[in-house]
């Protein structure tokens, strides 16, 4: 009976070690994906800010053109 219990315990410990290794690999992969997504997010936010700045500049130029032409830009 002791031998059977030890065998079962060895098998269970082996399974736990495999699961632990698998989870460790999954965590590493997820951490890498998270880093990549954060970098992509930062890039997208920067691009959005740049686009907003460009749109603001374009809007200012259009308003200046309208003012010079005598058209009211009150919208």
């Amino acid at each position: 009976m002791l031998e059977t219990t030890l065998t079962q315990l060895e098998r269970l410990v082996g399974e736990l070690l495999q699961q632990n290794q698998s989870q460790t690999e999954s965590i590493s992969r997820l951490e890498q994906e998270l880093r990549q997504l954060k970098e992509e997010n930062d890039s997208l936010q920067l691009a959005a800010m740049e686009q907003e700045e460009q749109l603001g500049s374009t809007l200012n130029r259009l308003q200046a053109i309208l003012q010079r032409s005598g058209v009211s830009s009150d919208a």
Side-chain angles (χ1 to χ4, degrees):
M1 177 156 174
L2 182 58
E3 183 63 32
T4 302
T5 302
L6 285 174
T7 302
Q8 289 174 343
L9 185 58
E10 287 173 340
R11 182 179 50 79
L12 290 173
V13 168
E15 289 174 8
L16 286 173
L17 289 172
Q18 286 178 341
Q19 288 177 4
N20 186 47
Q21 179 64 30
S22 176
Q23 289 178 349
T24 299
E25 291 169 1
S26 292
I27 289 170
S28 295
R29 181 180 47 80
L30 290 170
E31 287 173 339
Q32 176 63 28
E33 289 177 18
L34 179 60
R35 280 191 295 274
Q36 290 173 345
L37 289 171
K38 283 182 177 179
E39 289 174 9
E40 184 179 341
N41 185 50
D42 290 345
S43 295
L44 290 171
Q45 285 182 344
L46 181 59
M49 288 171 48
E50 290 172 352
Q51 187 175 24
E52 185 178 342
E53 190 175 308
Q54 289 174 346
L55 289 173
S57 175
T58 301
L59 177 62
N60 290 337
R61 290 174 66 190
L62 288 171
Q63 287 174 337
I65 290 170
L66 290 173
Q67 286 175 352
R68 282 190 300 220
S69 69
V71 176
S72 175
S73 63
D74 296 334

